[in-house]
Amino acid sequence: MRNPHAGEPFATSDEEIAAALLDVSIPTLMLSLVHMAGDPEIIRGRLKPDGLFLNEVQGYMSEEDKAEVRTLALDVIRDYRDRGCPEPEPISAALLHEMMAWLVCEEVPDEYVPMLLEEMELDGTDARRVSVPIDAAARDAFPVVVIGCGQSGLLAGIRLKEAGIPFTIIEKNAGVGGTWWENSYPGARVDVGNHFYCYSFEPSDQWTEFFAQQPELQAYFEGVMTKHGITPHVRWETEVLGAAWDDAAGTWSVRVRAADGSEDTVVGRAVISAVGQLNRPHTPEIAGQDSFVGPAFHSARWDHTVDLAGKRVAMIGAGASGFQIAPTIAPDVARLTVFQRTAQWMFPNPNYHETVGPGVRWALRHLPFYGRWYRFLIFWPGCDKGLEAARVDPDYPDQQTAVSEMNELTRQMFTDWIVSQVDDDPDLIAKVVPDYPATGKRTLQDNGSWLRTLTRDNVDLIRSGIEHIESDAVVTVDGERYPADVVVYATGFHVTRILWPMEITGRDGVDLRTKWGERPAAYLGITVPEFPNFFCMYGPGTNLAHGGSLIFHSECQMRYITQCIEELVASGHRAMEPRQEKCDDWHERSQRELKTLVWSQPSIKHSFFKNANGEIHGLSPWRLVDYWTWTKAPDFGDFVIR
Ligand code: NAP
């Protein structure tokens, strides 16, 4: 069988190929040429990229050099086509490593190579798929309940199906996608490049934008779900209220409530929680908010029946969601008043709204391994570099606005980006330049649309606190009254209340929320002592603020979980839970590490990373390569297995 990443054979004309080459990433193209021609000399000459930049689209080479590559490429591709598009010969490990380093213009340390090769699947093997031969009757006797059908719950279903483990996914919404189902607000789009923000084993050559919008993301997950036959396993519009472990039976009883209000119980031998961390909308309590007579809704509960055209809209909160909503609705509304408590740092990304040209889509479909190398190219800049950039230098003076020399350089770079856009408006500059260290909160991707919006005549940015809301206005602490017809709460989620509001009861009646209190902890972010056969995806300590993608983390977690379940099934054991000391050690080390990173800085007053005590328990302070290594295979010595 042909390697699925070797590209579909084609008979495209020379003219069409030449046109496609105008769109593509030239450095990525050159690596595909190496595969097609079987000739490494293609990358050993003068033609090479000048540097590595985040969110590369076309490649950093002079226009003359790009033109030269296109001429060479046309010859190689024409020859490959005329030979019938044969599957390229495998390439040696040494050459693959050389190609990696060449593409990103720097050494790629040896320890990263196995992880990257696995991510790229150049050999056509999905190494994160786990399936060991186990007696079918034993598998059938081990049903698993998955909570949630977002990106991680869908992945859980796919992997369980591949392993032949029976499962039911319980999903409170009417469709797949989780975040990408619920957040349908105007302008919702992902800010991790989509050719990486998709399952490693399910690349798509159909993205129409490099950072796709919500409908396209939801459609992607829908397509993957259908392709893998997961739909019949899902109970839609059914919410999990809680789950209780029966130690004698070795089962979880999962209490669910259907859309009609009826409740029943689903029994499984294991539970996988895939509910995400950013799912339960947070609407702050503001005096008088119930007296507001017009429509008022949260960004994740967008009311599409409300026509905003010609309305005065008050948007409370301007984090990642508000940052996308404002530029999208501003042209239509009569007036938009944005109430922002904390200014946000934003990363200059001119390609943020860029569309994917037809040439790129053609290359993704037909040129051998083009999509795989492009995936690596956009993965690599976010692969652990951000973690070192987030490290606090304890000797760095005045940690209020920067925590290290590198962090100060980032602050200056981000500030220049802001100032360059509104340098004639010192009042606005004073409002929009953050007063805390760069990358201390989640950094937003920006192509200039935010500040362009704020400079519109019909948009105001208010940094004063809100005092109360009246029937038709928002009133700030300085007594200003801002009339409004609609209030949008873009105020984020209950992020620190992990797994809330579900009631999870483990061995000996232990309640998970009581056990965790303000300090949720799971071993590797996945398993919890006293909660046998309970597995978390995107659990405590696994959110990513320094790079990578949650899909990458989910794939690591689900490989680990599948192996745990298979071990239980194969061995006939009833239950496994991590040793308490293992979990404590993991949590303590994570806490120590987090305190060395910028997100913990006390000068950051409001951050959804922090709980009420200023502690961080949701984020991972670890390198992706470490997490990948630790989750590659469970060490069953870490568990009490009964
Ligand atoms: P968020 O980042 O938590 O932003 C919430 C906003 O509401 C902030 O401006 C916050 O101010 C404000 N706020 C909260 N409580 C408030 C209160 N009591 N009074 C006044 N203001 C208040 O939430 P989000 O914008 O929904 O984004 C959440 C996360 O979802 C993101 O960080 C990201 O991980 C994800 N997301 C991603 C994308 C994307 O991929 N492009 C898009 C949307 C969301 P403070 O800053 O002062 O707390």
Side-chain angles (χ1 to χ4, degrees):
M1 201 179 72
R2 189 176 170 92
N3 182 323
H5 307 301
E8 277 178 24
F10 55 91
T12 313
S13 70
D14 289 8
E15 293 70 29
E16 287 168 309
I17 296 170
L21 297 183
L22 293 174
D23 283 352
V24 301
S25 157
I26 298 295
T28 311
L29 170 69
M30 287 179 74
L31 294 191
S32 181
L33 298 182
V34 172
H35 287 279
M36 276 182 269
D39 181 6
E41 295 309 316
I42 288 173
I43 57 163
R44 289 177 179 156
R46 188 185 62 78
L47 295 169
K48 52 177 66 159
D50 295 334
L52 171 69
F53 299 89
L54 199 56
N55 302 316
E56 192 269 6
V57 172
Q58 263 240 337
Y60 292 82
M61 296 172 81
S62 70
E63 288 309 314
E64 296 72 37
D65 283 358
K66 283 185 194 169
E68 209 176 306
V69 174
R70 289 189 186 105
T71 306
L72 164 75
L74 194 53
D75 286 343
V76 172
I77 297 170
R78 191 191 291 124
D79 171 64
Y80 171 74
R81 178 198 61 197
D82 295 346
R83 284 187 285 120
C85 304
E87 182 172 330
E89 290 296 319
I91 282 181
S92 73
L95 178 54
L96 289 175
H97 194 170
E98 180 186 339
M99 291 162 80
M100 285 181 188
W102 179 89
L103 186 59
V104 298
C105 307
E106 64 183 5
E107 191 42 51
V108 174
D110 287 345
E111 64 173 328
Y112 281 88
V113 174
M115 177 182 85
L116 295 166
L117 287 177
E118 183 187 289
E119 178 75 20
M120 285 199 282
E121 283 184 18
L122 292 169
D123 60 359
T125 308
D126 174 4
R128 294 179 192 152
R129 171 185 179 146
V130 184
S131 184
V132 294
I134 304 175
D135 171 52
R139 283 193 311 230
D140 290 348
F142 206 94
V144 174
V145 180
V146 180
I147 308 174
C149 199
Q151 66 82 8
S152 62
L154 173 61
L155 174 68
I158 292 169
R159 293 314 196 191
L160 289 170
K161 187 157 185 263
E162 288 166 350
I165 308 279
F167 66 97
T168 304
I169 304 179
I170 313 287
E171 168 55 59
K172 65 179 162 38
N173 294 321
V176 65
T179 286
W180 299 115
W181 172 271
E182 294 187 12
N183 287 270
S184 62
Y185 61 75
R189 73 167 77 227
V190 68
D191 60 8
V192 177
N194 258 123
H195 297 95
F196 170 48
Y197 187 84
C198 57
Y199 300 119
S200 60
F201 57 93
E202 280 299 349
S204 167
D205 53 30
Q206 292 305 308
W207 300 114
T208 61
E209 293 175 281
F210 287 95
F211 299 86
Q213 300 191 48
Q214 177 265 341
E216 199 165 337
L217 285 153
Q218 200 277 326
Y220 167 79
F221 290 110
E222 187 98 42
V224 172
M225 180 174 69
T226 306
K227 177 175 169 188
H228 287 262
I230 303 303
T231 317
H233 298 263
V234 190
R235 279 181 66 171
W236 302 109
E237 294 188 273
T238 303
E239 180 165 5
V240 171
L241 305 173
W245 171 251
D246 179 336
D247 204 40
T251 55
W252 279 99
S253 293
V254 181
R255 251 182 331 117
V256 302
R257 183 170 56 209
D260 63 7
S262 63
E263 292 187 13
D264 76 293
T265 301
V266 184
V267 175
R269 296 285 306 278
V271 165
I272 299 174
S273 165
V275 298
Q277 288 190 17
L278 293 139
N279 186 255
R280 298 287 174 170
H282 160 72
T283 304
E285 283 180 19
I286 301 174
Q289 69 194 146
D290 292 340
S291 68
F292 187 76
V293 293
F297 46 85
H298 188 274
S299 55
R301 297 285 179 273
W302 197 267
D303 186 344
H304 291 277
T305 65
V306 176
D307 181 5
L308 296 182
K311 301 270 179 13
R312 296 166 303 178
V313 178
M315 187 176 81
I316 301 176
S321 301
F323 196 79
Q324 295 180 328
I325 293 167
T328 315
I329 65 171
D332 296 330
V333 302
R335 177 146 293 279
L336 173 63
T337 313
V338 177
F339 297 87
Q340 188 185 47
R341 183 169 62 184
T342 310
Q344 300 279 340
W345 283 115
M346 42 201 186
F347 182 92
N349 177 7
N351 301 321
Y352 190 29
H353 293 179
E354 199 73 8
T355 54
V356 180
V360 172
R361 295 215 288 277
W362 179 85
L364 287 164
R365 171 152 295 199
H366 295 296
L367 296 187
F369 309 107
Y370 176 93
R372 298 282 100 187
W373 285 109
Y374 191 62
R375 185 179 185 93
F376 162 66
L377 179 63
I378 51 179
F379 182 13
W380 181 250
C383 193
D384 298 338
K385 294 180 188 353
L387 192 58
E388 277 327 297
R391 189 84 54 197
V392 176
D393 172 357
D395 298 325
Y396 193 79
D398 178 24
Q399 309 249 330
Q400 288 294 307
T401 55
V403 297
S404 69
E405 213 153 296
M406 193 195 290
N407 188 242
E408 170 61 17
L409 287 176
T410 308
R411 195 187 68 78
Q412 282 171 19
M413 195 252 284
F414 288 180
T415 305
D416 289 350
W417 166 245
I418 294 172
V419 173
S420 70
Q421 297 174 68
V422 287
D423 54 0
D424 56 347
D425 191 343
D427 292 344
L428 186 58
I429 290 174
K431 285 186 192 173
V432 296
V433 175
D435 58 0
Y436 56 89
T439 72
K441 290 164 64 120
R442 194 173 185 282
T443 310
L444 308 177
Q445 300 267 348
D446 178 53
N447 64 349
S449 60
W450 173 246
L451 289 173
R452 263 200 308 281
T453 302
L454 296 185
T455 50
R456 290 177 64 97
D457 288 343
N458 68 335
V459 177
D460 293 309
L461 175 67
I462 309 302
R463 293 289 312 276
S464 314
I466 296 171
E467 211 278 325
H468 69 274
I469 295 179
E470 297 178 352
S471 62
D472 61 350
V474 176
V475 182
T476 48
V477 287
D478 51 12
E480 284 296 324
R481 193 171 181 284
Y482 298 92
D485 305 310
V486 179
V487 173
V488 171
Y489 292 96
T491 42
F493 300 88
H494 288 282
V495 183
T496 57
R497 304 170 86 176
I498 293 178
L499 302 194
W500 177 81
M502 294 189 298
E503 292 170 349
I504 312 288
T505 313
R507 192 162 49 72
D508 303 324
V510 177
D511 170 60
L512 185 62
R513 218 168 308 145
T514 310
K515 180 183 173 88
W516 275 354
E518 291 284 311
R519 316 188 86 220
Y523 180 49
L524 296 171
I526 301 174
T527 56
V528 187
E530 301 180 283
F531 291 78
N533 301 3
F534 185 82
F535 302 95
C536 296
M537 299 185 71
Y538 194 0
T542 64
N543 197 4
L544 286 169
H546 66 78
S549 123
L550 286 172
I551 294 182
F552 169 81
H553 253 196
S554 294
E555 291 189 6
C556 292
Q557 289 150 12
M558 195 52 209
R559 165 159 62 184
Y560 183 94
I561 294 168
T562 313
Q563 291 175 85
C564 288
I565 290 174
E566 290 199 330
E567 171 67 12
L568 285 167
V569 175
S571 66
H573 282 109
R574 191 167 41 124
M576 66 189 296
E577 60 182 276
R579 296 181 186 282
Q580 185 69 54
E581 68 272 17
K582 272 279 160 195
C583 187
D584 290 346
D585 173 62
W586 161 264
H587 190 224
E588 273 159 34
R589 282 190 294 120
S590 299
Q591 286 298 296
R592 258 203 313 277
E593 200 70 12
L594 279 159
K595 291 196 174 86
T596 69
L597 296 162
V598 63
W599 317 310
S600 295
Q601 270 316 91
S603 61
I604 301 163
K605 303 223 170 34
H606 300 289
S607 160
F608 72 74
F609 296 160
K610 294 181 176 178
N611 68 14
N613 306 321
E615 294 176 341
I616 298 176
H617 297 278
L619 288 186
S620 168
W622 305 113
R623 299 187 311 164
L624 300 176
V625 70
D626 289 329
Y627 194 71
W628 175 82
T629 305
W630 298 331
T631 53
K632 215 169 163 206
D635 177 346
F636 292 110
D638 295 345
F639 291 86
V640 180
I641 302 183
R642 295 178 291 131

